[in-house]
Each structure stands twice: as C-alpha cells, then as structure tokens.
Amino acid sequence: MAEDPIIATDNSLKKLELERSDDTVSRFLGGLNHTIRKLVFRVISSGPIPQHIAFILDGNRRFAKKWKMTEGAGHKAGFLALMSVLKYCYEIGVKYVTVYAFSLDNFNRRPDEVQYVMDLMQEKIEGFLKELSLVNKYGVRVMFIGDLKRLYEPVRVAAEKAMAATAGNTKTYLLVCVAYTSSHEIPRAVYESCEEKNGVMNENGSVNGDVNTGNGSEVVVKMVDIEKHMYMAVAPDPDILVRSSGETRLSNFLLWQTTNCLLYSPKELWPEMGFWPLVSCILEFQKNYKYLEKKKKQA
C-alpha cells in the first residue's frame, strides 16, 4: 500500500528538522570549543611558548586492540589525532613540529609488515596533501628527515611531492622522521664532517686558512661541524619531546638534539592525544622553563 503523500511529507519535514537541529547543536558546540580553546591559549601565551615540539607517536596498535578495531584502523585514528595536534600546536605559536614516523630498525620487521607500513605511509602523505585548509592556513612546510633512499619508491615519490608542494611555506614546519635513527644520523654526520675537512686540504697536504687545526697540520672537527651535517640541522633543537602512552624510552630518536629538552610522557595512547594533553605538556614546559634555560647556558 502506497504511503499517504501528506504523511510522507510530514515525516520528511520532521527528519529535516531533526537534521537541522543536530547541525545547529554541532555548530554551537564547535563554536564553544573554539572559544574555550582561544581563551586557554591566551592564558598560556602569557608564559614562554616552546618553539619546537617533537612527538613519538606511540600506542596506535594498542588503541586498536583496546577498542577491538583492526590494526589499520588504529593507525588511521592516529593520523586524525596528528592533524588535530598539529592544528593546536600551530594555533598556540609552536613553529616546528617533529614526528617519529618510521625507524630504520623497523626495516628488520617481517616483509609483509614493512610493506603494510609503507603503503599506509604513502596513503597518509597523500592524505595530508589533501588537507589544504591546514597547509594553507598555517603555512606548513613539510620536510622528511632520514635516509630517504631506504624508503620504498612510491613512498619516496610521495614524500618528494609533499616537500616540493610546500617548499615555499616558511611560517610553520612539519618534520617527519622516516628511515631514521640517531645511531645512523650521528656517525653519518661525523663522517661527512671529516670528508668536508679533508676536501679543503691542498694537494700538497697543507691546510687552507679557514680550516681549524690542532698540532701540526691535523684537521680538527668541532661540534659545530658535526651539527651542520645532522639530518635535523634544518631546525632548532626540540624544547619538548613527547612520547604518548606513558612510555619513557627514546627509542633511538633525537638522542643528540634532546640533551636539554623536557621529556614528557602522557598516559594517553597516541590516537587519544588532543587539546588537553597538549595543554598539560606546555604547562609542564613553562613550569620547568627556567631550569631548562639554565641547563642550556651551562652546556
């Protein structure tokens, strides 16, 4: 039996009213959250704001297991959390954000697991480039840090496209550490420093005037020479290193650069990271700011 047109129209109007009501509530809550966020950031801005925050994105798989989701769903939730955290960081005035996306040691995992992560990484890089509102609003320049030759070709191509597409941005930076470990970065920087010093020596064995020497004609490699060749030389050292899920291990990440920064380990799994955990992190930084600055001056 066909539905009465009057009843059908009435039902459609009720449905439309409910949808509009839900939309109104959503917009109201969204506006309220935005207002609260601005007020909180205004209060926080009265104190020192970190210039550079680094994140170890820990807990995606545990989040998926906790909520009985597939492993891939946990990483997708982690990507959404990253987009939110980036937005909050840039809104409060953090200029550099570094994330540890894939360690060189991870290549030792099962081939199918490595392939899965590579495919996921390619998908997320391409997905980030579609977040034009975030990229354009905050002027984000994306830089991939590490031994990029080790990446699978589709991932490397996607990374190169992202870097080229955002190369003109200078307002904020997103540094993505892939195929990276400090135990690879540091020896590489030492080797390249030595190669550079040896390259400026004359053929007869004498040393050019602009090269530091010790006794005789031996070339002296200083700390500043090594730091110049670090992968992370493109950014200042982090003010805060955050590892989610309560873990306190550095996992071979930024060992050289984190000598005098705050180490912060919130209990939230990475997909649970958001506005309030970030606020707590910055408040902890402000509480320890004078001590951290004193240590930097003593270094």
Side-chain angles (χ1 to χ4, degrees):
M1 181 177 178
E3 186 176 9
D4 188 318
I6 296 177
I7 296 176
T9 301
D10 188 51
N11 289 338
S12 297
L13 287 173
K14 288 180 180 178
K15 183 178 180 182
L16 183 60
E17 288 173 358
L18 287 172
E19 289 175 350
R20 286 178 177 172
S21 177
D22 289 344
D23 184 55
T24 301
V25 171
S26 297
R27 282 189 281 111
F28 171 76
L29 292 176
L32 182 62
N33 287 335
H34 180 70
T35 301
I36 293 172
R37 193 163 73 239
K38 287 180 66 176
L39 289 172
V40 172
F41 283 166
R42 185 176 297 175
V43 172
I44 291 178
S45 295
S46 62
I49 299 298
Q51 185 181 19
H52 184 178
I53 303 181
F55 294 95
I56 299 177
L57 319 181
D58 194 13
N60 288 328
R61 284 182 289 186
R62 275 174 284 170
F63 178 83
K65 185 176 181 180
K66 174 182 176 180
W67 294 102
K68 296 180 173 54
M69 304 161 67
T70 63
E71 184 174 306
H75 284 87
K76 289 178 181 178
F79 177 74
L80 294 176
L82 175 60
M83 293 299 101
S84 295
V85 169
L86 285 176
K87 181 177 70 173
Y88 300 146
C89 283
Y90 297 145
E91 281 182 0
I92 200 171
V94 178
K95 186 170 184 177
Y96 297 88
V97 176
T98 298
V99 298
Y100 198 11
F102 194 76
S103 165
L104 267 175
D105 297 333
N106 292 148
F107 283 105
N108 297 326
R109 294 179 178 180
R110 298 191 322 269
D112 62 320
E113 188 174 353
V114 175
Q115 182 66 60
Y116 171 78
V117 175
M118 288 286 115
D119 291 343
L120 188 64
M121 195 180 303
Q122 179 188 351
E123 176 189 333
K124 295 313 174 189
I125 294 171
E126 294 171 348
F128 178 81
L129 284 177
K130 294 177 182 177
E131 296 285 339
L132 294 179
S133 59
L134 179 71
V135 174
N136 295 332
K137 182 176 181 179
Y138 301 107
V140 184
R141 181 176 181 180
V142 182
M143 304 180 75
F144 287 83
I145 307 297
D147 188 0
L148 303 187
K149 298 187 298 294
R150 293 289 303 276
L151 296 176
Y152 291 6
E153 185 175 357
V155 182
R156 187 171 65 253
V157 170
E160 289 170 351
K161 285 182 179 178
M163 288 190 286
T166 61
N169 296 337
T170 57
K171 187 177 179 182
T172 58
Y173 294 82
L174 172 60
L175 311 178
V176 184
C177 290
V178 291
Y180 172 93
T181 57
S182 287
S183 58
H184 170 75
E185 178 187 35
I186 296 171
R188 170 189 168 276
V190 172
Y191 174 79
E192 291 192 358
S193 300
C194 293
E195 286 289 292
E196 182 183 57
K197 293 294 184 179
N198 289 331
V200 298
M201 294 183 68
N202 294 331
E203 292 181 1
N204 61 7
S206 61
V207 182
N208 292 338
D210 61 343
V211 178
N212 298 312
T213 60
N215 297 327
S217 60
E218 292 182 357
V219 176
V220 176
V221 176
K222 294 188 174 182
M223 185 177 294
V224 67
D225 301 313
I226 297 173
E227 290 180 338
K228 183 175 67 175
H229 289 280
M230 290 283 185
Y231 285 129
M232 287 295 295
V234 297
D237 289 348
D239 298 298
I240 312 173
L241 175 60
V242 179
R243 178 164 188 161
S244 53
S245 77
E247 295 288 346
T248 55
R249 294 175 293 110
L250 294 181
S251 295
N252 215 343
F253 180 54
L254 302 185
L255 301 183
W256 183 282
Q257 295 85 0
T258 53
T259 306
N260 296 301
C261 86
L262 174 71
L263 304 179
Y264 189 70
S265 303
K267 67 180 184 303
E268 288 84 1
L269 303 173
W270 176 252
E272 297 167 342
M273 283 290 291
F275 175 70
W276 290 113
L278 181 64
V279 168
S280 298
C281 167
I282 294 175
L283 289 175
E284 188 71 18
F285 168 76
Q286 292 179 341
K287 187 173 72 174
N288 291 277
Y289 179 74
K290 290 183 179 179
Y291 171 78
L292 294 169
E293 287 299 299
K294 181 180 176 181
K295 287 298 180 182
K296 286 179 182 178
K297 291 176 182 177
Q298 294 174 348

